[in-house]
Amino acid sequence: MIYKSNKNFLALQRDRYNLHMFDIPLLAAVLAVSVIGVYVINSATDGYAGRQAAGIVAGLIIAVFLSLVDYNYIAKFDRVLYAINIVMLIAVLLFGVGANGARRWFSVGPLGAFQPSELSKLFMIIIFASFISRSRDKMGSFKNFLKLLIIYMIPVGLIVVEPDLSTSIVFVFLFIIMMFVGELGTRIILWILGISVPTLALFFWYIQQPGQKLLQGYQLSRVLSFLHPQDYLLTTYYQQYNSIMAIGSGMLTGKGLNNNTITSVKGGDFISEPQTDFIFAVLGEELGFVGCCIVLALLFLIVIRCLVIAKNASNGTGRLIAVGVAAVIIFQTFVNVGVATGIIPNTGLTLPFVSYGLSSLLSNYMMIGLVLNVGLQRNRR
């Protein structure tokens, strides 16, 4: 009887989710880049690779589980997820662990720290996808846009207060992409651009004025060091400069993993916390141009597979979820690599699936699980 029951369950799952259409290339690319990340983390700093490997195993289990839970069913709880998200972000401000002037984490004992803003990305993708799908016929109305903007601004405002400016920027990019894919009216898009472009120019002008109040000291220093690197070479720009030198020193094939020479990033202690924000510097130095290209190609493949799944999704909710995940991965990749190579100001974003950080890793695997779920239901109408 138990065997027959299990057989019937598997048959039901196969018919409902098209299990033969499971996106193996997507999952294989995720696992491949994750494994590379473990090796690079182990080379960058002692004591973190084991946790990252355990996070990959847990993330894989969660991803497979979520791939078999109907995303349409999950999207029905968008209001519950939004409430959990807000409570979580308020709680971390009140009871979270503070470090370097920021309060972004909950302590979870031997597991390290949990960062709610990472999980918030996943929640907001689901919330945006559900809201836009329900309101597709009204997306061109200014009233509906304001409603969505308010929904968006509350969690972003809480993240800014932590402060976590880099994650806030991710939310801005995510909002713009999902609005575009959600077919926001042309009139509203032009209105947004007409306000945002001059506002951004005004922002950069204002933060350089004496007594500005928008950015904290370390945030302002990062922006100014990007604009005038020669003036901050021995202070704020020091890490980015060393990162560029490390990547260049790796040349074509790198110096090899676990390199401990005094001139290396790890051996010379030229970059603090190289296993997180500046993992690409370690990657470039020890695996060279070839290693960097392999990692970027795998991340690009992940994004492409997400977009292919979005194109073939059975409904708007699935399409928006897959596009939202692709947007987060490609934006964080661009920012992390951009910081390590000095083309954008220093921020605190991780390289997806590569940098150390269990909150980021597990959230990314959960996103991939939802994308796999969308792909499994691609022929369901």
Side-chain angles (χ1 to χ4, degrees):
M1 289 295 293
I2 295 176
Y3 170 77
K4 185 175 181 180
S5 175
N6 290 336
K7 187 175 181 180
N8 290 337
F9 172 77
L10 292 174
L12 177 62
Q13 296 298 86
R14 184 177 62 251
D15 293 339
R16 184 176 185 183
Y17 292 107
N18 298 315
L19 294 181
H20 64 285
M21 298 176 73
F22 195 88
D23 200 313
I24 298 298
L26 172 58
L27 193 58
V30 169
L31 287 174
V33 77
S34 298
V35 170
I36 293 174
V38 171
Y39 280 102
V40 178
I41 289 168
N42 183 62
S43 181
T45 310
D46 296 329
Y48 291 96
R51 292 182 183 180
Q52 188 80 352
I56 292 173
V57 174
L60 179 61
I61 295 172
I62 294 172
V64 172
F65 173 76
L66 285 177
S67 72
L68 300 175
V69 179
D70 189 355
Y71 67 88
N72 294 290
Y73 178 76
I74 295 174
K76 291 180 180 179
F77 295 91
D78 56 347
R79 291 178 175 83
V80 175
L81 292 177
Y82 189 76
I84 294 173
N85 190 28
I86 298 302
V87 169
M88 191 170 57
L89 293 174
I90 292 175
V92 78
L93 290 174
L94 298 176
F95 310 111
V97 176
N100 299 321
R103 193 176 292 274
R104 307 172 188 168
W105 306 271
F106 287 118
S107 176
V108 286
L111 296 178
F114 164 62
Q115 189 171 352
S117 59
E118 290 293 338
L119 190 58
S120 183
K121 297 172 189 175
L122 172 67
F123 285 172
M124 292 309 292
I125 288 173
I126 298 171
I127 292 162
F128 282 163
S130 178
F131 182 91
I132 294 171
S133 296
R134 286 200 313 266
S135 311
R136 180 166 296 276
D137 296 337
K138 305 175 183 177
M139 281 308 296
S141 72
F142 188 74
K143 179 180 178 181
N144 211 54
F145 168 72
L146 281 180
K147 187 185 297 183
L148 185 59
L149 186 62
I150 293 170
I151 292 173
Y152 157 80
M153 288 300 295
I154 295 174
V156 171
L158 291 171
I159 291 173
V160 169
V161 172
E162 292 182 359
D164 190 353
L165 186 60
S166 55
T167 301
S168 304
I169 297 173
V170 175
F171 275 80
V172 171
F173 183 78
L174 177 64
F175 182 77
I176 292 172
I177 293 298
M178 297 192 76
M179 288 298 92
F180 177 77
V181 176
E183 300 178 2
L184 185 64
T186 304
R187 179 175 60 88
I188 297 179
I189 291 177
L190 292 175
W191 181 82
I192 294 172
L193 290 175
I195 291 179
S196 59
V197 172
T199 299
L200 185 62
L202 182 63
F203 168 78
F204 276 103
W205 171 83
Y206 174 74
I207 62 172
Q208 298 183 65
Q209 305 307 306
Q212 65 85 29
K213 302 295 184 183
L214 290 179
L215 298 182
Q216 295 194 15
Y218 75 94
Q219 295 171 331
L220 178 61
S221 295
R222 289 179 176 181
V223 175
L224 292 179
S225 65
F226 171 74
L227 297 174
H228 311 286
Q230 67 282 358
D231 298 333
Y232 295 85
L233 197 56
L234 298 178
T235 54
T236 316
Y237 196 69
Y238 178 77
Q239 289 203 96
Q240 282 185 281
Y241 177 79
N242 288 335
S243 173
I244 296 169
M245 293 299 101
I247 294 171
S249 70
M251 302 181 73
L252 184 62
T253 57
K255 301 175 181 177
L257 291 171
N258 300 307
N259 189 309
N260 288 313
T261 62
I262 194 64
T263 57
S264 69
V265 166
K266 179 180 179 181
D269 196 26
F270 295 120
I271 297 175
S272 63
E273 304 292 336
Q275 76 278 7
T276 55
D277 301 345
F278 283 93
I279 193 70
F280 194 77
V282 181
L283 178 67
E285 181 182 53
E286 304 201 343
L287 297 181
F289 179 76
V290 173
C292 290
C293 287
I294 291 173
V295 167
L296 292 178
L298 287 170
L299 290 170
F300 182 69
L301 175 59
I302 292 170
V303 171
I304 292 299
R305 293 310 306 168
C306 288
L307 294 178
V308 169
I309 289 174
K311 178 178 178 292
N312 298 321
S314 61
N315 57 28
T317 302
R319 180 163 54 254
L320 286 163
I321 287 174
V323 168
V325 172
V328 169
I329 292 174
I330 197 169
F331 184 74
Q332 288 201 193
T333 299
F334 171 77
V335 171
N336 183 276
V337 175
V339 168
T341 54
I343 64 174
I344 62 174
N346 191 0
T347 64
L349 288 179
T350 56
L351 186 61
F353 305 106
V354 181
S355 295
Y356 174 76
L358 295 183
S359 298
S360 173
L361 183 67
L362 292 177
S363 296
N364 287 335
Y365 267 93
M366 292 171 74
M367 293 182 195
I368 294 299
L370 285 180
V371 173
L372 290 170
N373 187 282
V374 174
L376 287 171
Q377 299 190 62
R378 68 186 73 173
N379 292 334
R380 184 182 174 191
R381 303 294 175 185

